[in-house]
Amino acid sequence: GSFEEGLGCWDGFGANRYASTNFALDGSSSLLMFGEFSGSVNYTGVTQDFTNVEVGDELSITASGYTPSDDSVLGNNNRVVIKWDFVDAGGNVIYGATDAPLINGADPATPEDTWVKNTYVTNFPAEAAGGAARAVILFVQEADEGGAVYIDAASVLINGEVPSGGGGNDRRVRTRPKPPIFIFLILACEESNPMFSDRKITPPLR
């Protein structure tokens, strides 16, 4: 799964984000997130940046979420979404205007004790040219409401392909047939891996 090596390959923000073996969809570990109980709306999340992207590239993030019946968000306003943010060439964060819900406590159709999968697709915008695409998994807590969500099987495709060389289509001329496309599970944590940006930007929250 995408959290078998813990959270070492993820940047993040917010206090309560942990690798957990309580529940897992793929492998033995998942990402556990819950709110900060700060008295106001607060955000906890993990991110990864992909730098080999160009304006118009199609960006896809997929993940699965799970809220357990003994610590559920169902019936409150807590939620987990997946989305893309962007970092422009000057290092400024451009927040994506939309997202896709994984687990939404306010939706009565949200199941407990069941993994729910979703995908969010967008395009790399012109205003971020020369920068990075940032995959985001975000937990939102409102009014100190309780409940936890587990995330697993997180994956990214750029232009329908597994990211390489910092992400995105490598755009090199191919001299042999293209191999089958496999979903890339985000789990490579080595700092030397060129797939990930070396930027460590923790943006201010909206």
Side-chain angles (χ1 to χ4, degrees):
S2 46
F3 299 96
E4 297 306 292
E5 301 298 325
L7 304 185
C9 54
W10 296 85
D11 291 329
F13 50 89
N16 295 316
R17 45 187 170 83
Y18 309 97
S20 171
T21 57
N22 292 342
F23 302 97
L25 175 62
D26 184 19
S28 59
S29 297
S30 64
L31 166 66
L32 164 63
M33 293 196 293
F34 53 94
E36 297 181 338
F37 300 94
S38 63
S40 60
V41 177
N42 59 87
Y43 305 90
T44 296
V46 296
T47 68
Q48 284 192 12
D49 287 0
F50 297 85
T51 56
N52 186 18
V53 288
E54 295 184 358
V55 173
D57 282 355
E58 182 184 85
L59 311 171
S60 173
I61 178 172
T62 297
S64 293
Y66 180 103
T67 189
S69 55
D70 61 354
D71 193 15
S72 177
V73 300
L74 188 61
N76 64 39
N77 291 307
N78 291 347
R79 59 195 179 275
V80 169
V81 301
I82 52 176
K83 61 179 302 202
W84 287 94
D85 291 336
F86 311 96
V87 182
D88 69 16
N92 303 298
V93 178
I94 302 168
Y95 293 104
T98 59
D99 55 50
L102 277 185
I103 298 290
N104 183 1
D107 182 353
T110 297
E112 297 175 320
D113 302 324
T114 302
W115 287 98
V116 178
K117 180 180 178 180
N118 205 354
T119 297
Y120 178 70
V121 180
T122 191
N123 296 96
F124 191 73
E127 55 266 36
R134 174 168 292 170
V136 182
I137 304 173
L138 179 69
F139 185 104
V140 183
Q141 183 190 47
E142 298 188 16
D144 285 354
E145 295 173 318
V149 174
Y150 296 81
I151 310 298
D152 206 359
S155 63
V156 161
L157 292 176
I158 300 179
N159 292 325
E161 296 189 354
V162 173
S164 62
N169 190 333
D170 62 15
R171 301 180 176 84
R172 290 173 291 183
V173 175
R174 299 180 184 271
T175 58
R176 57 184 177 181
K178 184 185 298 186
I181 295 173
F182 295 98
I183 296 295
F184 166 63
L185 293 177
I186 309 176
L187 55 83
C189 297
E190 290 79 10
E191 292 183 359
S192 61
N193 193 317
M195 296 180 67
F196 306 115
S197 168
D198 58 4
R199 305 181 213 196
K200 300 294 181 183
I201 305 168
T202 301
L205 301 176
R206 290 177 292 180

